[in-house]
């Protein structure tokens, strides 16, 4: 327990300023400063400077870098951009050889000095500012469940005359025929027997303790349903932008703790055929003046009218939302019936076959929330959380009725009347193309950001994958 008490982060219920971050760097004997920022697709990028090169002016004047090399950003003719470090984000990087202060940054234009409109973190902040401007609530809390696989090894290659991928895990049921100790995890039976079946508990504990030292509170960790090392670590809810920061830190920690143990982590939704995929079930609630707004004991599942309107907005805009919330072609190999995937656009209490679940673990007002189960952790959390909030607000402002709840097993219902999620990324992008006005309210998402997202995904992901021969096609058609 001593390791949990170690404090490797600066903010502690306060809002540190630049001088606080610089003083803390001296106190912790930091030698380097790592400047992290999020690209459009949701991956951290970084650069490092000696601690002596960071002064108070850097927090307001910025530090220059080449934006033309960042995915989905500027062309080479206007490539100069600025990093603006957020002193409240300071933590000690747990994986650097030398003491290193880590700062999350936002992006600004060096000419206009304005925030860069494609900066995902600024989009998230604009969503929170828009929420305040509506007067509906002052805080949107998000609590994602980011699932992932831990593999012992991975290989993949794409060539003109061939392609392959292979993953392996000692836990994988496909290894039961090899000489060994016999405790592989059966297909779809990973949730959740203890050791010796679960070989990753100590690794997950190391991940949790590292996150706690960085100020990221974790609620639990466990093995997930799939064989082959599927895991989950749940984070305690936080406001929108803060939680998006924590999701990227979470992914950074999980990957690097695994790498130090000689293993590899993927948040890819469907790396294994025939077993459950990995999602990012996202719990959400609105609060005003520290009062929860989604609770009403007289309502269905204890949910208030505002809560029903909010989930009505999520369901109405779900096809478009998934362009941001399930943003890869692989996402739609997860969103298929039969693997506990939430493909039905309905809501229910406790029912995990619905796209939106209303958890019933507690009757307390502060615990009342909705859980949108369709997203996965390949999403850019800044964009995904902001988009979900904007859809929910649209539901409240337009009094959208979510219809009747579905308190039955939707996987056994043959009805064709139940709306379902898009069947592919191409379909989700088409939905976003026709349904995005709700995102642009308050200037949260710009038309340029939405157009850039759609074009990038079509050109770099949907198109190339649609053109490439698939190994299964050889099995089906080679001798046709």
């Amino acid at each position: 327990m001593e390791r949990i008490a170690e404090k490797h982060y600066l903010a502690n219920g306060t809002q540190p300023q630049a001088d606080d971050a610089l003083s803390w760097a001296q106190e912790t004997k930091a030698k380097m400063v790592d400047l992290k920022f999020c690209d459009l697709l949701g991956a951290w990028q970084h650069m490092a400077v000696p601690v002596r090169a960071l002064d108070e002016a850097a927090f307001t004047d910025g530090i220059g870098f080449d934006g033309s090399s960042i995915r989905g950003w500027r062309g080479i003719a206007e490539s100069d951009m600025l990093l603006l470090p957020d002193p409240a984000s300071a933590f000690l990087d747990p994986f650097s050889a030398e003491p290193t202060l880590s700062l999350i940054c936002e992006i600004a234009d060096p000419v206009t000095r304005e925030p860069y409109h494609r900066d995902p973190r600024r989009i998230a902040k604009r969503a929170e500012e828009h929420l305040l401007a509506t007067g509906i609530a002052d805080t949107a809390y998000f609590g994602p469940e980011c699932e992932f696989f831990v593999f012992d090894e991975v290989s993949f290659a794409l060539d003109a005359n061939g392609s392959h991928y292979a993953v392996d895990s000692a836990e994988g049921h496909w290894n039961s025929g090899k000489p060994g100790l016999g405790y592989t995890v059966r297909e779809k039976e990973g949730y959740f027997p203890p050791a010796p079946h679960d070989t990753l508990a100590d690794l997950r504990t190391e991940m949790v303790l590292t996150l706690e030292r960085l100020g990221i509170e974790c609620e639990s960790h466990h093995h997930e349903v799939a064989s082959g090392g599927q895991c989950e670590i749940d984070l305690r809810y936080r406001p929108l932008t803060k939680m998006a920061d924590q999701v990227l830190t979470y992914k950074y920690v999980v990957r690097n703790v695994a790498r130090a143990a000689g293993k590899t982590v993927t948040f890819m939704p469907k790396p294994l055929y025939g077993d459950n995929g990995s999602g990012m079930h996202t719990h959400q609630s609105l609060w005003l003046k520290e009062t929860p707004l989604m609770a009403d004991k007289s309502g269905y599942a204890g949910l208030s009218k505002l809560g029903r309107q909010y989930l009505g907005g999520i369901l109405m805009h779900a096809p478009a939302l998934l362009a941001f919330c399930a943003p890869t072609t692989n996402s739609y190999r997860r969103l298929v019936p039969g693997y506990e995937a939430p493909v039905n656009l309905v809501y229910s209490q406790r029912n995990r076959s619905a796209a939106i679940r209303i958890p019933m673990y507690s009757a307390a007002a502060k615990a009342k929330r909705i859980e949108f189960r369709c997203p996965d952790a390949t999403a850019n959390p800044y964009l995904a959380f902001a988009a979900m909030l904007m859809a929910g607000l649209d539901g409240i402002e337009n009094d959208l009725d979510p219809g009747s709840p579905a308190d039955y097993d939707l996987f056994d219902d043959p009805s064709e009347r139940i709306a379902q999620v898009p069947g592919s990324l191409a379909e989700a992008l088409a939905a976003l193309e026709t349904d995005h006005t709700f995102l642009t309210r308050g200037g949260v998402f710009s038309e340029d950001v939405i157009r850039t997202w759609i074009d990038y995904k079509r050109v770099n992901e949907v198109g190339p994958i649609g053109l490439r021969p698939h190994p299964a096609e050889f099995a089906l058609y080679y001798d046709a």
Side-chain angles (χ1 to χ4, degrees):
M1 298 301 293
E2 180 183 7
R3 299 176 70 181
I4 297 180
E6 295 174 8
K7 181 173 175 291
H8 290 181
Y9 61 100
L10 176 57
N12 190 19
T14 61
Q15 189 66 29
Q17 302 302 309
D19 59 338
D20 298 315
L22 293 171
S23 297
W24 194 59
Q26 296 298 322
E27 291 172 16
T28 56
K29 297 181 170 56
K31 296 181 179 179
M32 298 293 293
V33 180
D34 197 59
L35 304 170
K36 296 178 171 69
F37 64 97
C38 183
D39 67 18
L40 187 64
L41 299 187
W44 258 352
Q45 310 291 336
H46 81 129
M47 62 180 288
V49 299
V51 71
R52 60 160 179 77
L54 192 75
D55 55 18
E56 285 193 47
F59 288 82
T60 52
D61 297 344
I63 299 167
F65 75 102
D66 175 9
S68 67
S69 298
I70 305 302
R71 299 177 299 176
W73 282 10
R74 287 187 159 171
I76 197 168
E78 49 177 5
S79 59
D80 288 357
M81 305 188 82
L82 294 174
L83 294 173
L84 297 174
D86 179 357
S89 69
F91 66 87
L92 289 180
D93 194 304
F95 307 109
S96 57
E98 296 291 344
T100 299
L101 181 71
S102 181
L103 293 167
I104 299 174
C105 302
E106 293 178 12
I107 312 302
D109 185 296
V111 177
T112 65
R113 314 299 297 184
E114 292 294 319
Y116 182 44
H117 69 282
R118 292 186 190 174
D119 175 13
R121 196 170 192 257
R122 277 302 310 162
I123 292 172
K125 285 192 170 182
R126 287 199 295 270
E128 292 184 300
E129 292 161 2
H130 177 70
L131 174 64
L132 277 172
T134 66
I136 293 171
D138 54 30
T139 307
Y141 284 115
F142 283 77
E145 302 172 2
C146 299
E147 298 168 340
F148 55 92
F149 279 87
V150 180
F151 292 128
D152 297 326
E153 59 182 37
V154 59
S155 64
F156 49 89
L158 297 175
D159 296 305
N161 66 326
S163 62
H164 92 275
Y165 75 88
V167 295
D168 201 10
S169 164
E171 289 187 359
H173 64 83
W174 55 87
N175 283 318
S176 63
K178 298 178 181 178
L181 300 179
Y183 289 102
T184 56
V185 176
R186 297 180 185 90
E187 188 176 80
K188 297 188 181 183
E189 293 189 20
Y191 188 88
F192 34 37
H197 289 89
D198 181 2
T199 65
L200 300 169
D202 287 340
L203 186 70
R204 293 194 304 271
T205 293
E206 182 62 25
M207 294 168 179
V208 166
L209 296 183
T210 303
L211 289 165
E212 292 267 345
R213 290 200 299 275
L214 300 183
I216 298 176
E217 293 185 28
C218 301
E219 295 193 330
S220 66
H221 75 66
H222 58 81
H223 204 289
E224 258 299 340
V225 174
S227 179
Q230 191 184 34
C231 298
E232 180 180 313
I233 298 172
D234 294 337
L235 305 180
R236 182 169 177 79
Y237 63 88
R238 287 288 179 266
L240 190 156
T241 302
K242 180 66 174 177
M243 179 50 74
D245 287 345
Q246 292 194 354
V247 168
L248 289 185
T249 309
Y250 169 97
K251 294 174 77 171
Y252 180 70
V253 166
V254 166
R255 286 171 172 150
N256 281 286
V257 169
R259 182 176 181 272
K263 297 183 182 293
T264 179
V265 158
T266 182
F267 290 90
M268 187 176 176
K270 192 75 169 185
L272 296 181
Y273 174 74
D275 214 331
N276 283 33
S278 295
M280 184 178 70
H281 308 150
T282 305
H283 298 252
Q284 305 163 54
S285 63
L286 296 182
W287 292 57
L288 179 64
K289 297 179 180 178
E290 300 184 357
T291 299
L293 300 179
M294 287 191 173
D296 181 352
K297 290 183 178 179
S298 66
Y300 169 78
L303 197 67
S304 67
K305 179 182 179 181
L306 179 143
R308 283 172 51 85
Q309 293 169 331
Y310 186 98
L311 70 83
I314 297 282
L315 291 174
M316 171 71 73
H317 298 295
L321 281 179
L322 291 189
F324 287 115
C325 297
T328 69
T329 59
N330 188 255
S331 299
Y332 298 87
R333 302 191 190 282
R334 166 186 170 250
L335 292 174
V336 295
Y339 299 92
E340 299 187 25
V343 297
N344 299 292
L345 293 177
V346 292
Y347 72 100
S348 175
Q349 61 181 357
R350 301 192 293 176
N351 191 344
R352 284 174 167 80
S353 64
I356 293 181
R357 181 177 73 99
I358 305 167
M360 300 297 292
Y361 297 126
S362 171
K366 65 180 181 181
K368 190 53 60 182
R369 61 197 187 274
I370 70 154
E371 176 196 27
F372 186 37
R373 295 176 57 79
C374 299
D376 65 64
T378 59
N380 183 326
Y382 298 109
L383 302 184
F385 296 165
M388 285 184 261
L389 174 62
M390 295 301 289
L393 291 177
D394 187 61
I396 294 169
E397 292 171 329
N398 291 289
D399 190 19
L400 296 182
D401 182 4
S404 300
D407 292 331
Y408 54 91
D409 188 346
L410 293 159
F411 297 139
D412 290 336
D413 183 9
S415 171
E416 296 181 1
R417 294 177 289 104
I418 300 175
Q420 294 197 333
V421 298
S424 67
L425 178 58
E427 290 181 21
L429 293 171
L432 177 62
E433 200 165 35
T434 58
D435 176 26
H436 60 256
T437 301
F438 70 99
L439 295 172
T440 61
R441 293 198 178 102
V444 175
F445 285 77
S446 67
E447 290 282 351
D448 173 74
V449 165
I450 295 169
R451 183 77 260 161
T452 298
W453 183 268
I454 293 171
D455 290 347
Y456 185 95
K457 290 286 179 176
R458 282 177 174 165
V459 170
N460 296 283
E461 299 178 28
V462 174
I465 289 177
L467 292 174
R468 182 168 289 279
H470 191 285
E473 293 176 317
F474 280 80
L476 290 169
Y477 312 128
Y478 185 78
D479 58 351

